[in-house]
Amino acid sequence: MKYSEFFIPTVKDIPSDAEIISHKLMIKAGMIKQSSAGIYSWLPLGFKVLKNIEQIVREEQNNAGANEMLMPTIQSSDLWIKSGRYDDYGKEMLRIKDRSGREMLYGPTNEELITDIFQTYITSYKELPKNLYHIQWKFRDEVRPRFGVMRGREFLMKDNYSFDLNEETAQISYNKMFKAYIKTFLRMGLTPISLRAETGPIGGNLSHEFQILANTGESTLYYDKELESLDPESLDPEKLQSYYAAVDDEHDEDKCPIKKEDLKISKGIEVGHIFYFGTKYSQKLKAYVQDKNGKKIAVHMGSYGIGVSRLVGALIEANHDDKGIKWPMSVAPFKLSIINLMPDDQNCTTIASDYYSSFMAENIDTLYDDRECSIGKKLSDNDLIGTPLQIIIGKRDISAGVVEIKDRLLDSSEKIQINDVKKVVSKKLNF
Ligand code: ATP
Ligand code: MG
């Protein structure tokens, strides 16, 4: 993509209600524009990151055997009345009347709808287990939408639902998802900390919350230091669930089961939440299957959520400096920037264009900064939008036979011979 043809409306002035760094940087980098309280338009750069995150989430769901589908945003109130949540959900639910006066709502979550789909088609234990998910916008009329996309009213969530014959197999489904979650966050370069959580209004027996570490996070976490160095290739959910982790109001120094030197304290942001809630919805919405003996059994269910749009903000909270965003490679909107400092100079432009076409041919998401603007603006914009690897092409360097390669994540720079650049970049990007 040529910068001159891409829409990245970077701005200097940010609204005063942008309190936290990710919100400020997302506005500054031209990633989002607020349309009304807690509701945002995703501009091209923000949208690219959202899609990259979504894709990692999707791949790990698929790897864990979940089936992707898509349910609507607008739901009828009928099923919610049956489950008893139509009244319970309160003011967070956006209620709408259609032209015939039917009561509809903008879905804040999907337990009711999915349970109804399940019961329409599945009648035998032989078809279990099943695990279905979608990545869809939700609406919750939060009392205080704030922190940009971190607590929006309209937000993108991956939610899936597992269906099992009994508690024992439901636990297997739960652990599979637990592992998929850790893997998902590790792939984004984040450090996930899982905490045993209260089940709250969703009801049920077992629940974990997933937080990621970020110095600017809202919660304070106490946890076993082992959780900071997990190997994504050998994740054992039962072992992971046994490590100590607690939020500050649940942590008690005297009762803490691990040694002081093994205990770490950091700030965290919640990005995911999983629940096993047994037959709560299956009984109310009549999701029964026949077991081996022909007996009707209410299926055991779990639900699992990841805040896809919240992750964009959380990733920035975990990865930034005073110049801007530092995207981890796996979610970066562009992996590489080619910054031509002198578009008027024939030599610079020939070399920049040559690099651009060869990296594009390798399918590397590359931003070619071909703009006619000051050198200072070029450098600061590319740092602000957070491209992890940057090739900087200037007249003086070219005469000396070199270009600069900057690693935004390590905050380091080196001069490389013009002809070695492709080799060096390929190595850094692993292709
Ligand atoms: P919170 O306690 O933050 O309100 P929740 O318990 O209501 O979260 P869940 O219903 O478990 O959240 O939703 C699953 C995930 O969706 C959360 O872990 C979070 O990442 C995300 N999420 C929830 N509410 C919002 C919101 N208002 N804006 C953005 N993401 C959200
Ligand atoms: Mg909530």
Side-chain angles (χ1 to χ4, degrees):
M1 184 60 67
K2 286 187 175 166
Y3 204 132
S4 61
E5 291 167 4
F6 198 59
F7 181 61
I8 313 180
T10 55
V11 294
K12 281 220 168 67
D13 297 324
I14 40 176
S16 55
D17 68 342
E19 298 167 57
I20 59 165
I21 191 70
S22 59
H23 190 190
K24 288 180 185 164
L25 286 173
M26 285 181 79
I27 292 173
K28 270 182 131 173
M31 293 176 66
I32 48 166
K33 182 184 185 301
Q34 183 175 314
S35 92
S36 59
I39 304 179
Y40 294 87
S41 295
W42 290 79
L43 306 180
L45 191 73
F47 186 61
K48 256 172 140 330
V49 179
L50 190 69
K51 288 285 151 188
N52 289 347
I53 292 172
E54 191 183 300
Q55 188 54 24
I56 293 177
V57 171
R58 172 177 291 119
E59 285 170 15
E60 292 308 324
Q61 287 297 305
N62 294 347
N63 283 342
N67 297 183
E68 187 167 14
M69 58 184 293
L70 186 61
M71 288 175 270
T73 52
I74 306 292
Q75 305 180 21
S76 147
S77 60
D78 303 354
L79 296 170
W80 289 76
I81 292 166
K82 278 191 200 160
S83 77
R85 284 210 291 182
Y86 194 55
D87 291 329
D88 290 357
Y89 222 96
K91 287 192 166 173
E92 257 192 33
M93 184 188 275
L94 180 66
R95 293 147 212 264
I96 313 159
K97 266 203 175 78
D98 72 7
R99 65 198 298 164
S100 333
R102 270 187 292 258
E103 287 186 34
M104 313 292 283
L105 57 101
Y106 193 131
T109 178
N110 284 67
E111 281 81 6
E112 283 76 0
L113 209 54
I114 195 80
T115 309
D116 185 55
I117 291 172
F118 177 91
Q119 69 81 25
T120 308
Y121 301 105
I122 307 259
T123 51
S124 162
Y125 74 96
K126 288 181 191 159
E127 295 165 87
L128 296 182
K130 282 278 174 292
N131 195 326
L132 301 168
Y133 78 100
H134 73 164
I135 301 174
Q136 176 64 293
W137 294 91
K138 306 287 185 288
F139 194 95
R140 293 182 187 174
D141 206 348
E142 300 275 355
V143 190
R144 246 191 101 198
R146 61 197 170 131
F147 302 154
V149 300
M150 299 254 276
R151 185 166 300 282
R153 292 198 296 167
E154 192 184 42
F155 60 96
L156 189 60
M157 197 205 280
K158 183 287 301 170
D159 42 323
N160 61 314
Y161 304 88
S162 62
F163 301 89
D164 280 277
L165 188 61
N166 54 43
E167 189 166 346
E168 200 184 325
T169 54
Q171 179 77 52
I172 297 171
S173 300
Y174 185 90
N175 283 350
K176 242 190 209 173
M177 265 311 123
F178 186 99
K179 185 172 162 181
Y181 270 44
I182 298 282
K183 220 164 174 185
T184 300
F185 302 129
L186 288 175
R187 275 186 66 186
M188 294 175 194
L190 296 165
T191 309
I193 305 291
S194 57
L195 303 114
R196 188 72 190 241
E198 292 300 317
T199 46
I202 201 159
N205 328 45
L206 179 59
S207 170
H208 283 89
E209 199 177 279
F210 293 80
Q211 302 232 5
I212 57 96
L213 297 184
N215 291 334
T216 46
E218 265 201 311
S219 354
T220 304
L221 309 176
Y222 293 76
Y223 56 91
D224 192 319
K225 69 172 190 313
E226 292 290 324
L227 290 170
E228 282 190 1
S229 45
L230 301 180
D231 173 9
E233 298 312 318
S234 59
L235 297 170
D236 172 355
E238 276 169 20
K239 186 164 175 218
L240 288 173
Q241 288 169 27
S242 71
Y243 284 119
Y244 181 76
V247 287
D248 53 356
D249 34 336
E250 277 157 21
H251 174 75
D252 183 340
E253 212 170 283
D254 301 327
K255 289 188 190 144
C256 180
I258 60 170
K259 287 192 242 123
K260 209 167 177 182
E261 61 265 32
D262 294 336
L263 187 71
K264 289 272 241 175
I265 309 171
S266 293
K267 296 278 184 187
I269 299 169
E270 184 199 319
V271 289
H273 207 158
I274 64 178
F275 304 87
Y276 162 65
F277 46 74
T279 57
K280 183 176 172 199
Y281 296 92
S282 53
Q283 279 184 353
K284 290 208 167 107
L285 295 165
K286 311 217 176 326
Y288 296 109
V289 292
Q290 286 200 330
D291 72 3
K292 270 191 188 136
N293 308 315
K295 201 175 133 208
K296 277 193 167 179
I297 309 249
V299 287
H300 287 249
M301 291 176 59
S303 78
Y304 314 83
I306 290 183
V308 176
S309 51
R310 178 181 286 185
L311 268 166
V312 182
L315 273 154
I316 297 175
E317 293 293 330
N319 302 284
H320 66 270
D321 63 12
D322 53 356
K323 293 183 220 131
I325 305 165
K326 297 165 94 164
W327 291 117
M329 203 51 95
S330 59
V331 297
F334 295 102
K335 312 232 173 300
L336 178 69
S337 280
I338 298 170
I339 308 172
N340 183 0
L341 298 179
M342 288 285 165
D344 289 339
D345 182 87
Q346 192 56 51
N347 280 341
C348 290
T349 300
T350 306
I351 289 169
S353 310
D354 171 48
Y355 290 158
Y356 178 55
S357 39
S358 58
F359 292 124
M360 289 304 277
E362 297 284 351
N363 277 325
I364 303 295
D365 231 329
T366 304
L367 183 64
Y368 176 18
D369 195 346
D370 58 339
R371 291 173 302 165
E372 302 277 349
C373 68
S374 77
I375 289 177
K377 181 164 170 56
K378 275 193 185 169
L379 295 173
S380 62
D381 276 350
N382 281 280
D383 280 348
L384 172 63
I385 66 170
T387 315
L389 203 59
Q390 304 175 11
I391 304 177
I392 302 168
I393 299 165
K395 209 169 160 178
R396 205 177 308 146
D397 277 352
I398 294 289
S399 327
V402 295
V403 299
E404 184 182 337
I405 296 194
K406 179 154 116 188
D407 188 320
R408 174 93 180 88
L409 307 182
L410 299 175
D411 218 359
S412 66
S413 242
E414 51 183 330
K415 305 265 177 166
I416 304 281
Q417 297 292 318
I418 292 172
N419 291 332
D420 291 341
V421 166
K422 288 180 201 167
K423 202 171 66 204
V424 171
V425 169
S426 308
K427 207 165 163 205
K428 283 189 188 270
L429 294 175
N430 295 321
F431 66 87

